[in-house]
Amino acid sequence: MSKLNQESGNVNRRGFLKCMAWAGTGALCVLQGGVLKSFALGEGLEQKIGNTKADLSFVQISDTHMGFNKDANPDVTATLREAIAKINALPTPPAFVLHTGDLTHLSKPEEFDTLSETLKSLKTERIFYVPGEHDVINDNGQMFRARFAQQGQGDGWYSFDQKGAHFIALVNVMNFKAGGLGNLGAEQLEWLEKDVSKLKSSTPVVVFAHMPLWTIYPQWGWGTEDSSQALSYLKRFGSVTVLNGHIHQTMQKVEGNISFHTAVSTAFPQPQPGQAESPGPLKVPAEKLRAMLGIREVNLVRGHRALGIIESPLA
């Protein structure tokens, strides 16, 4: 954490950036010529970044936690509906939506039912999922895979192509390591190496998983133990974007050709790393809650090295 630049929108010499989506603000982050630039959302944004039309737009949602009803947010279905309304109001409907895990809070059938029914109102062609640790309780993810990852291999990992970009869904919540760190495992890593071996180095790659693939705060298990091996297979690509959930707050980092982006939840926030005794639902004043929840819109522009990312709080 000490290496991250504390001023949103500024890139330090090591190439790191931290953008926090608080207090109803949002940011568009674009990588141009190897430099990550951040623009505050608001009037005049199009003039600031130009009028380049995206070849592909999609949305990320995360950590919906259907079934949660504690003080941090007694009605997570309502805030998910607000997120859906925000997505449906976008000028261009997203080609698809990525859900980066913790669909439910306790992996109960009725919680999965509520999620599926609520997401039916989304104006998009398809939704792709990866599991969070809350989705694999008791049955090692069998119910999740049967309903949301039928096309997956192993514990539910898979890949697909869209508009010249390659998307990779990874599962890192099945075999936690010491301290609660995520784990991919040898079988999935072998699959990943083979999956990307056929791609040209110029192919934009988007990886999405539940837990971070960079170590944010190991004391809370906010990282993936064997992520370095996975990332080594991606170093030859000019543009790699890694999206995840789990920590319920927006943080970003750039390492060479790889940009990492964590997402806020649609359900409840969590404390910043080390700012509480442990991670977990963070109760905030009711008027501040929606400023700490939201969605992410991602735009791919052909010929650009990386993706344009817009953080949109519910407030």
Side-chain angles (χ1 to χ4, degrees), residues 38 59 102 108 122 130 153 165 188 227 234 242 245 251 283 288 292 296 302:
S38 178
V59 166
D102 279 352
K108 294 180 178 179
L122 257 179
V130 289
Q153 302 182 45
Q188 186 172 193
S227 61
L234 306 175
V242 181
M251 292 185 179
K283 184 179 179 180
K288 294 184 178 181
M292 303 175 77
R296 168 178 286 149
R302 195 172 305 280

Side-chain angles (χ1 to χ4, degrees), residues 163-175:
K163 295 286 187 178
H166 189 68
F167 291 79
I168 303 171
L170 297 180
V171 178
N172 54 1
V173 298
M174 296 304 299
N175 298 291

Side-chain angles (χ1 to χ4, degrees), residues 35-109:
V35 178
L36 190 64
K37 300 178 181 179
S38 178
F39 302 91
L41 295 182
E43 293 184 2
L45 179 60
E46 290 186 0
Q47 287 71 30
K48 292 177 183 178
I49 64 174
N51 296 316
T52 306
K53 185 178 180 181
D55 294 292
L56 173 67
S57 295
F58 64 92
V59 166
Q60 178 191 4
I61 61 174
S62 197
D63 297 272
T64 47
H65 284 273
M66 289 294 101
F68 180 86
N69 59 3
K70 306 303 181 184
D71 289 346
N73 185 355
D75 194 348
V76 296
T77 304
T79 49
L80 175 58
R81 289 195 183 108
E82 291 179 38
I84 291 171
K86 205 168 189 68
I87 295 169
N88 290 344
L90 292 172
T92 302
F96 52 84
V97 170
L98 303 181
H99 193 311
T100 48
D102 279 352
L103 289 66
T104 67
H105 198 60
L106 295 173
S107 302
K108 294 180 178 179

